[in-house]
Amino acid sequence: MAAEALKELGDHIKGALSADVFATSITHGQLVVTAKRESILRVMAFLRDDSKCRFAVLVDLCGVDYPDRAERFEVVYHLLSLALNQRIRVKVTADEETPVPSVTGLWSAAGWFEREAWDLFGIYFSDHPDLRRLLTDYGFEGHPLRKDFPLTGYVELRYDEEQKRVVYEKVKLKQEFRSFDFLSPWEGMNEILPGDEKARGQTP
């Protein structure tokens, strides 16, 4: 019965927004709407205000990175209808340069979510009232949740006792962790480290 209700809702949305929605599907018991990026404000306003939808609560907004795609990012919105006891997921795609329209005019709570997506993924939201970093430092370089971001980062932060201030330094490694080839200086270590003798099958 729940699947049938979700299918009816999906058909209703697809019929009303045929020019703005690519597809609707049911995944893991939840309705998923894939919308055009430039139409996201119209789609979200419809989902909030239509009498058969009434998704008044923006629960979450997050980014996903698929580096092999032409438009590598997905922006995923999770909405809740308290009146209908239903949830819905809306997706749009974006690349590193094309902005996604901000939905802060529909839900003020989106301001924090969009700042987080900008900070961690580098997804730009047009018409956002205050799009700046949220979780990383002001001098941070790059966007740490991108799949191609190095695990070590680009710079490290430390307090310099001589200068009496916090300084940034470039991270210098002999090899990146993401492309580790196991040919490290620790290969071929034959000495027994303290405590290792207990793991060599010795019995009391």
Side-chain angles (χ1 to χ4, degrees):
M1 185 66 180
E4 184 178 338
L6 288 177
K7 186 179 182 307
E8 290 180 3
L9 181 59
D11 292 342
H12 171 68
I13 294 169
K14 190 76 166 64
L17 300 170
S18 58
D20 304 309
V21 170
F22 289 120
T24 60
S25 62
I26 299 174
T27 306
H28 302 297
Q30 191 170 80
L31 181 62
V32 179
V33 176
T34 305
K36 296 180 180 178
R37 179 180 54 250
E38 61 274 13
S39 301
I40 188 61
L41 289 178
R42 188 159 48 251
V43 171
M44 299 298 261
F46 176 85
L47 293 175
R48 186 190 66 178
D49 301 334
D50 182 76
S51 60
K52 292 185 178 180
C53 297
R54 300 167 72 183
F55 290 97
V57 180
L58 175 67
V59 177
D60 187 28
L61 181 162
C62 61
V64 187
D65 186 16
Y66 299 97
D68 296 332
R69 296 183 183 178
E71 293 194 345
R72 65 183 292 180
F73 301 118
E74 275 187 357
V75 180
V76 184
Y77 307 82
H78 296 96
L79 305 179
L80 170 66
S81 172
L82 295 171
L84 303 178
N85 192 26
Q86 292 274 20
R87 292 176 182 269
I88 192 171
R89 180 179 295 134
V90 182
K91 297 181 178 182
V92 298
T93 60
D95 56 31
E96 298 178 38
E97 298 178 356
T98 308
V100 177
S102 172
V103 297
T104 52
L106 298 172
W107 292 281
S108 59
W112 290 86
F113 296 138
E114 290 176 352
R115 282 181 61 185
E116 182 181 29
W118 159 248
D119 189 3
L120 301 182
F121 290 94
I123 302 171
Y124 185 77
F125 293 89
S126 60
D127 299 320
H128 189 285
D130 187 24
L131 193 63
R132 55 193 167 94
R133 290 193 180 274
L134 180 66
L135 299 175
T136 60
D137 189 60
Y138 291 110
F140 193 87
E141 294 181 21
H143 304 281
L145 286 191
R146 289 187 178 186
K147 295 287 180 62
D148 53 6
F149 188 83
L151 293 176
T152 56
Y154 296 108
V155 296
E156 62 180 349
L157 179 70
R158 68 176 181 85
Y159 180 78
D160 189 284
E161 187 63 39
E162 293 182 0
Q163 300 182 48
K164 301 294 183 188
R165 67 182 183 89
V166 173
V167 296
Y168 289 91
E169 293 178 341
K170 294 284 185 183
V171 173
K172 296 178 182 178
L173 296 175
K174 291 188 176 180
Q175 53 184 262
E176 293 288 344
F177 288 144
R178 287 194 189 274
S179 58
F180 196 72
D181 61 9
F182 300 101
L183 299 176
S184 71
W186 301 279
E187 292 290 325
M189 177 67 175
N190 294 319
E191 295 182 23
I192 299 176
L193 297 176
D196 282 359
E197 69 277 0
K198 299 175 184 177
R200 291 185 176 269
Q202 297 183 3
T203 55

